Amino acid sequence: FPVTIVAVDGVSLTINAGETVGLVGESGCGKSTTARLILRLLEPTSGKISFLGEDISALDTEGMRQRRKDLQIVFQDPYASLNPRMTIRQIIAEPLIVHGLAESPIDPRVDEIIELCGLSIDFGNRYPHEFSGVQRQRVGIARALTTRPKLVILDEPVSALDVSVQAQILNLLDDLKRRFDLSYLFVALYIVTGK
C-alpha cells in the first residue's frame, strides 16, 4: 500500500520587526525543516517566503547570498556548526568577509561582538574544541550577529546545553535582541509525556 510522507505542509507565519515568534512542536514535526526553508538552506517546492516585502523564494543564488546577511541562524549543536580548523576570531569574522563587509578577521566589529556575547577578546585565537558547550554557543551567536541581521532563527539553541547554563544563553539572547532590535524565530521542542 502507498505511504504518504509530508514534510512541512500549510505553514503560515508572520514575524514583525522586533518580535520573537516561537515555533514549537514534537520531534520530527518539521520545525527545523521550516527554519531551513526560510533561510533557503533547503529549497521549497511550493509556497512563498517574503522578507521585508521581497519574495526571497524567487531569488537566484547570488540574490539570496546578498540577502543572507540579513537572515542568520544559530544551530542547536554549537560544536557541529563551528569549523574546527578556524580560530574563534576567524569563525566570527567569516560572515563579514563573505559579504564584503571586512577584509580580514582583524576588524573592530569582531572583538566588539566577542565581548558583547560574554567572551574574552583573548579567546579569539583559540579553537572551538578548547571551549565548553555554553562558550561555543556564545561563539555561534556572535557569528550570527556580526552582519547585524534583521532576523535570527534560533534552532533549539539551548537544548544541547546543561540546564544549569541554559538561562545564561536565553538572557544573552534577550539582551542582544534589545540592543540590536532583532527579530527572532525561536524553534523549540515540545515533549509529550504520558500520564
Side-chain angles (χ1 to χ4, degrees), residues 93-115:
E94 186 180 32
L96 292 173
I97 295 166
V98 165
H99 292 289
L101 303 173
E103 293 182 10
S104 78
I106 310 303
D107 186 287
R109 286 173 289 193
V110 175
D111 285 343
E112 176 192 2
I113 200 71
I114 287 174
E115 287 191 313

Side-chain angles (χ1 to χ4, degrees), residues 6-9 11 23 28-44 49 155 187:
V6 178
V8 183
D9 185 36
V11 175
L23 182 58
C29 73
K31 303 179 304 297
S32 294
T33 300
T34 300
R36 285 164 173 75
L37 287 166
I38 292 169
L39 294 168
R40 300 243 337 254
L41 298 176
L42 296 174
E43 288 299 322
I49 305 163
D155 190 3
V187 176

Side-chain angles (χ1 to χ4, degrees), residues 147-160:
T147 60
R148 299 294 192 261
K150 305 283 190 295
L151 173 66
V152 179
I153 295 177
L154 304 159
D155 190 3
E156 299 188 47
V158 296
S159 66

Side-chain angles (χ1 to χ4, degrees), residues 120-132:
S120 169
I121 294 173
D122 297 336
F123 292 171
N125 294 324
R126 296 185 187 174
Y127 292 86
H129 72 272
E130 299 179 66
F131 294 93
S132 68

